Amino acid sequence: MALIQVRDLVKEFDGQTVLSNINLDLKEGDVRVLMGASGSGKSTLLRCLNRLVEPSSGSIIFRGQEVLGPGVDVRELRKQIGFVFQQFALYSHLTVLDNVSLGLRKLHKMGKAEAKEKALLELSHFEMTPHQDKYPSQLSGGQKQRVAIARALAMDPAVLVLDEPTSALDPVMSRDVADLINRLHGEGITMICVTHDLNLARNIADTVMFLDRGVIRADDRIDVLSKHSDPEIKAFFASEEKF
């Protein structure tokens, strides 16, 4: 059984359909990549998975349980589906260590010493322990990304959701992020990633889902999509440019 099953998911904003009958499965240990032009609904779909955005209709099943509806513990769901935001969303007034330990104290109810130990352990996995007392303004883009991922993984989620993880990074840092994602994949971390970066997509996944105007129009290997019979899909994946 898939870890996450999305069935016939619809999201409307002010009468406009942003997502239309989305269906996808995410299996344990998978890395799934979602691509599409700006405004295609990619980030909205990610936010529906842990109910940062409420779908209009459809079903999201996580570990065999429906997660849409009034009786669901949304805070518990968000512990299980960790989110790394496009602009990192680090708290500017908190140090690196406090950014990572805050959720452990507030959501997991850990004591300060236990949360610090857990946070330092996670930061050590990303070689960020020497920067624990710095503030986000003192970090490079790549370092901020590592802290954001460390913060999400410190919560021990079942799934890591990455929204445009290289959008604010230069090519060298983007390659570092690809290496990091592949390392996490090797450790068995389940991930779904939205990106406009074809190089990143090629480096982290064998297949890509293509979302266009709220509809998943293709799910295949990039080399197949770059020769697709649909000229729009072919043009998107044949290009090396970022969208």
Side-chain angles (χ1 to χ4, degrees):
M1 179 183 293
L3 186 62
I4 295 179
Q5 295 173 295
V6 178
R7 295 292 180 266
D8 301 321
L9 194 73
V10 174
K11 177 59 184 176
E12 297 177 347
F13 287 109
D14 298 324
Q16 180 181 357
T17 301
V18 179
L19 297 174
S20 179
N21 297 316
I22 298 294
N23 292 277
L24 68 88
D25 289 346
L26 182 68
K27 296 179 181 178
E28 196 98 37
D30 275 356
V31 177
R32 300 300 310 271
V33 173
L34 184 62
M35 300 188 75
S38 297
S40 59
K42 306 183 300 296
S43 294
T44 298
L45 175 55
L46 291 191
R47 283 163 169 75
C48 285
L49 296 180
N50 66 356
R51 293 181 59 178
L52 288 170
V53 168
E54 290 292 334
S56 301
S57 64
S59 175
I60 298 176
I61 299 171
F62 174 66
R63 286 183 164 165
Q65 300 293 319
E66 176 63 60
V67 301
L68 301 182
V72 175
D73 186 339
V74 176
R75 293 186 73 182
E76 188 62 34
L77 175 68
R78 290 174 184 167
K79 291 180 189 177
Q80 294 298 309
I81 303 179
F83 211 106
V84 180
F85 295 90
Q86 183 173 350
Q87 298 298 328
F88 318 125
L90 299 176
Y91 294 106
S92 61
H93 65 291
L94 297 180
T95 64
V96 164
L97 178 60
D98 287 339
N99 263 284
V100 178
S101 64
L102 180 64
L104 296 171
R105 291 188 287 110
K106 297 295 185 182
L107 297 177
H108 281 298
K109 307 301 182 183
M110 287 186 181
K112 189 172 182 178
E114 184 184 7
K116 178 180 179 179
E117 181 179 2
K118 171 73 169 172
L120 286 174
L121 177 63
E122 204 61 57
L123 286 168
S124 71
H125 295 158
F126 299 95
E127 300 178 349
M128 288 302 296
T129 310
H131 306 281
Q132 61 180 288
D133 295 321
K134 291 183 179 178
Y135 291 87
S137 62
Q138 298 172 295
L139 304 178
S140 69
Q143 289 171 332
K144 290 176 184 177
Q145 187 65 277
R146 287 172 179 269
V147 175
I149 295 174
R151 179 178 61 181
L153 290 177
M155 304 297 288
D156 295 320
V159 180
L160 184 64
V161 176
L162 300 146
D163 189 7
E164 299 282 10
T166 62
S167 66
L169 306 181
D170 63 34
V172 173
M173 290 181 179
S174 295
R175 287 194 294 272
D176 288 345
V177 169
D179 290 343
L180 176 57
I181 291 172
N182 285 326
R183 193 190 89 196
L184 294 173
H185 183 210
E187 295 171 1
I189 303 295
T190 306
M191 290 174 276
I192 183 166
C193 174
V194 156
T195 184
H196 60 262
D197 187 338
L198 275 171
N199 288 325
L200 176 66
R202 287 190 179 96
N203 285 331
I204 66 175
D206 295 325
T207 63
V208 171
M209 295 176 287
F210 178 65
L211 188 66
D212 180 41
R213 294 181 285 270
V215 177
I216 294 179
R217 292 176 55 192
D219 187 354
D220 215 325
R221 299 194 318 271
I222 291 178
D223 63 328
V224 172
L225 296 174
S226 66
K227 301 171 185 175
H228 202 278
S229 58
D230 186 310
E232 291 185 354
I233 296 175
K234 179 180 179 180
F236 187 96
F237 287 98
S239 173
E240 289 293 334
E241 296 178 359
K242 295 181 179 181
F243 289 78

